Amino acid sequence: MIVDKLGAEDVDALQRGASLLGSGGGGDTHLSALWLGQELAGGAEVGLLDIDELEQGWVLGMCAFGSTASVAIEKLPAGDELRRCVATAEHQLGIDVDAIAVVEIGGSNALMPFIAAAQTGKPVVDGDLMGRAFSRLDQTVVAADELTGAWVTAEARGAAVIVDGVDARTAERVLRGALTGLGGWAVLAYPPISAQMYRRVALPGTVTDAIDLGRRHRSGVAAGDDGDALADRLGGDFLGQGTVLEVHRYDGEGFARGSVAVRTVDGRRVLRIEMQNEYSMVLRDGEVVATVPDVICLLDAHSLRPIQTGQVRRGHEVAIIVLPVPDRLWHPEVLPRLAPRAHGVDADPVRTHLNRRRRLML
């Protein structure tokens, strides 16, 4: 299904789907949804363009970029950063941007491109470059050295920073260093991608998939699903439900890391969830049962709302589910930059959903 123009109901569904695909990270989707809703209420319209309709021109990937997961809450935006970021990219590069691209369809960055589209009148392409939320600029389905060119940021006070001629890994290092002087938060435009290249590299249909995921989540909440029923409704796997016994946090290289211990309701098992911005691995009684790039979600057992890594606390009653990701994220050329070791976890990747299908076929 293609949404020609985004409506209020679509925003709610996109926010829900993006929150799930954030896998505990990606920032607060509610604030981004409120911002987008305000743009639409003011008369702006946002069209969603099927990726096969891209024929020529330039696509600009947009996201927010912060020094910490909470900085966008602590520092309010001015409101026009995204429009200014698009205008700066067009001016500096001497191009006209024909469409806005979603970099990651998980977390608040799933909604940022729609705000940019509302402010500029450009459509958003139904696809993205991550298939969920990840923390680093290079954790896309496109190799880091293919994303070279000018990276443009714009922050609330009007400043812009342009880093030209570098790949995603170098841009990450330079721009994170610059964020301190920019107040810790800015919006970011990836180097423009030609329409032909974007059709080749992007994950098609992931925006409408996220909207559909959010609608199914909303239906599950309305129907009073428990964690197991909701996982089935969402096409995922239920790993267990219980009470958080312990949350251990520590500083990692570049990102805050930690682990969460959960005792199941029957008291017979302990689930341990490793995290680095996002939830990255689940162990059941010491056995690895799920890892990135699959989407690991900790949900409040009562509201079924996703709990972010920075919010999970001792005593939380949680349900743990795993959602599958597009097959391309498991491709041998893509997997190394998304797998557990890319998140600081020394473990081989485990594909939960595929393993379940195999067991059912035996």
Side-chain angles (χ1 to χ4, degrees):
M1 181 185 67
I2 297 297
V3 181
D4 293 324
K5 290 182 180 178
L6 208 70
E9 187 271 342
D10 300 313
V11 173
D12 174 72
L14 178 59
Q15 179 270 318
R16 289 172 178 267
S19 185
L20 290 165
L21 295 173
S23 192
D28 192 328
T29 57
H30 292 90
L31 291 177
S32 299
L34 287 171
W35 188 355
L36 176 56
Q38 185 178 36
E39 296 285 350
L40 297 180
E45 294 185 345
V46 179
L48 189 58
L49 182 69
D50 188 275
I51 197 168
D52 289 332
E53 296 180 38
L54 280 175
E55 295 181 356
Q56 58 185 3
W58 296 96
V59 180
L60 192 68
M62 303 289 297
C63 64
F65 194 58
S67 56
T68 68
S70 62
V71 71
I73 299 173
E74 298 163 359
K75 180 182 178 182
L76 294 175
D80 66 342
E81 295 95 328
L82 287 150
R83 179 192 57 76
R84 287 191 285 107
C85 194
V86 174
T88 300
E90 290 184 318
H91 175 72
Q92 292 294 327
L93 303 176
I95 64 169
D96 290 325
V97 172
D98 298 280
I100 305 296
V102 179
V103 172
E104 57 179 336
I105 194 58
S108 64
N109 275 332
L111 293 105
M112 288 291 174
F114 288 89
I115 299 169
Q119 293 181 350
T120 62
K122 303 178 189 295
V124 176
V125 184
D126 186 8
D128 86 302
L129 299 178
M130 291 187 180
R132 46 157 293 166
F134 287 112
S135 299
R136 299 200 318 262
L137 300 182
D138 68 307
Q139 289 181 304
T140 69
V141 292
V142 188
D145 57 4
E146 288 191 75
L147 289 172
T148 58
W151 303 73
V152 178
T153 67
E155 59 89 51
R157 293 170 295 184
V161 173
I162 301 167
V163 180
D164 198 3
V166 300
D167 65 16
R169 288 183 292 264
T170 304
E172 179 96 31
R173 185 171 64 252
V174 173
L175 291 172
R176 287 205 184 276
L179 280 176
T180 302
L182 294 176
W185 184 88
V187 295
L188 170 69
Y190 273 55
I193 301 174
S194 70
Q196 292 88 347
M197 179 181 175
Y198 193 80
R199 287 181 62 177
R200 174 174 62 84
V201 301
L203 297 162
T206 51
V207 172
T208 46
D209 286 347
I211 292 172
D212 179 62
L213 184 70
R215 287 175 177 151
R216 284 183 277 142
H217 178 267
R218 185 168 56 209
S219 297
V221 172
D225 285 356
D226 59 13
D228 196 357
L230 183 67
D232 188 60
R233 186 188 293 268
L234 299 179
D237 293 272
F238 177 69
L239 297 186
Q241 181 168 321
T243 303
V244 174
L245 297 176
E246 176 189 32
V247 180
H248 177 60
R249 305 181 193 276
Y250 53 96
D251 291 332
E253 185 177 346
F255 298 104
R257 298 174 59 185
S259 60
V260 180
V262 176
R263 177 182 290 152
T264 57
V265 173
D266 59 14
R268 298 172 59 186
R269 292 182 178 275
V270 173
L271 296 168
R272 193 165 197 92
I273 304 96
E274 297 296 320
M275 55 189 182
Q276 179 183 275
N277 280 21
E278 299 84 27
Y279 300 113
S280 54
M281 182 171 69
V282 181
L283 300 93
R284 181 190 291 129
D285 295 335
E287 177 189 0
V288 178
V289 294
T291 72
V292 284
D294 279 346
V295 178
I296 298 165
C297 301
L298 263 66
L299 308 178
D300 182 281
H302 305 286
S303 68
L304 299 181
R305 293 283 186 176
I307 303 172
Q308 291 196 311
T309 58
Q311 298 171 336
V312 62
R313 296 288 185 270
R314 187 169 181 260
H316 256 142
E317 295 181 33
V318 299
I320 305 167
I321 68 173
V322 180
L323 302 176
V325 293
D327 288 342
R328 187 120 62 86
L329 273 64
W330 289 92
H331 191 279
E333 293 183 359
V334 177
L335 184 58
R337 54 184 175 270
L338 311 179
R341 288 184 179 87
H343 296 256
V345 177
D346 188 16
D348 294 326
V350 173
R351 194 173 186 181
T352 308
H353 201 63
L354 182 61
N355 289 343
R356 186 187 72 161
R357 292 206 305 266
R358 285 172 175 166
R359 291 194 298 269
L360 292 174
M361 291 171 65
L362 295 176

